[in-house]
């Protein structure tokens, strides 16, 4: 890793830093992500919660309904309400929204998921695998990331 990645909300109350590279990077085309972001997809950097350092401010957790009846916890700036990261069931792992990084171009998705609901005008690159729904992380994550995840879930 080069310099640690940092990001912020729109008003700047919340700043954060990733203290290492992410475990894996998702580009998700599901309808929940489209609705939550108001966009065509979301870029999520998966990283252990203890490697996501909040430098200023206190993100506010908001539980947002999903189409399957579950909720997803989204962490927002209490002032400008921009969504910075979220949680899918496991508090040990955060999904950091790539667009809030200081340099969003500094990350490239490792996989594209839920392409069954991808908008037609988004063309996917050949460089990353794409899945109608989801994938098996044991097949696609680097061994080091699998080990890191196991350690995080065991702690
Ligand atoms: Zn803000
Ligand atoms: Zn999604």
């Amino acid at each position: 890793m080069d310099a640690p990645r940092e990001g912020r909300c729109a008003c700047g109350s919340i700043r954060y830093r990733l203290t290492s590279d992410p475990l894996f990077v998702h580009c998700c085309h599901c309808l929940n992500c489209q609705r939550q972001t108001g966009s065509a997809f979301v870029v999520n950097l998966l990283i252990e919660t203890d490697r996501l350092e909040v430098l200023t401010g206190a993100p506010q957790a908001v539980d947002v309904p999903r189409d399957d009846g579950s909720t997803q916890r989204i962490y927002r700036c209490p002032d400008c309400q921009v969504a910075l990261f979220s949680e899918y069931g496991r508090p040990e792992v955060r999904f950091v929204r790539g667009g809030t990084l200081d340099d969003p171009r500094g990350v490239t998705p490792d996989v594209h998921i839920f392409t069954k609901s991808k908008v037609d005008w988004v063309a996917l690159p050949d460089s990353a695998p794409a899945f109608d729904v989801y994938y098996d992380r044991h097949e696609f994550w680097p061994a080091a990331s699998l080990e890191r995840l196991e350690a995080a879930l065991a702690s």
Side-chain angles (χ1 to χ4, degrees):
M1 181 174 101
D2 306 317
R5 293 185 174 91
E6 293 192 11
R8 65 171 176 89
C9 64
C11 78
S13 289
I14 310 257
R15 275 204 74 82
Y16 66 83
R17 172 187 297 150
L18 308 184
T19 63
S20 79
D21 279 332
L23 295 160
F24 212 58
V25 180
H26 287 175
C27 183
C28 186
H29 301 265
C30 84
L31 294 174
N32 290 304
C33 288
Q34 292 185 23
R35 186 173 298 110
Q36 287 168 15
T37 60
S39 187
F41 54 80
V42 71
V43 175
N44 278 324
L45 287 75
L46 283 62
I47 192 163
E48 299 94 322
T49 300
D50 61 8
R51 297 186 186 210
L52 170 59
E53 193 180 344
V54 175
L55 302 172
T56 60
Q60 183 180 14
V62 179
D63 288 332
V64 177
R66 295 163 54 85
D67 287 344
D68 64 2
S70 67
T71 58
Q72 180 185 349
R73 180 156 288 184
I74 298 180
Y75 290 86
R76 294 180 176 276
C77 169
D79 298 324
C80 70
Q81 298 293 325
V82 163
L84 296 154
F85 23 89
S86 58
E87 191 181 296
Y88 290 80
R90 293 281 197 175
E92 298 90 347
V93 178
R94 289 277 185 272
F95 286 56
V96 177
R97 297 197 169 191
T100 66
L101 291 167
D102 291 340
D103 179 17
R105 299 177 72 180
V107 288
T108 306
D110 294 308
V111 284
H112 290 263
I113 56 175
F114 287 93
T115 59
K116 66 175 186 178
S117 47
K118 179 181 79 59
V119 295
D120 290 338
W121 48 263
V122 168
L124 299 182
D126 293 328
S127 52
F131 302 92
D132 278 355
V133 180
Y134 209 70
Y135 66 96
D136 180 358
R137 70 170 176 267
H138 295 99
E139 258 179 74
F140 291 93
W141 283 27
S145 291
L146 289 170
E147 278 168 31
R148 278 170 53 187
L149 179 68
E150 245 175 69
L153 296 181
S155 64

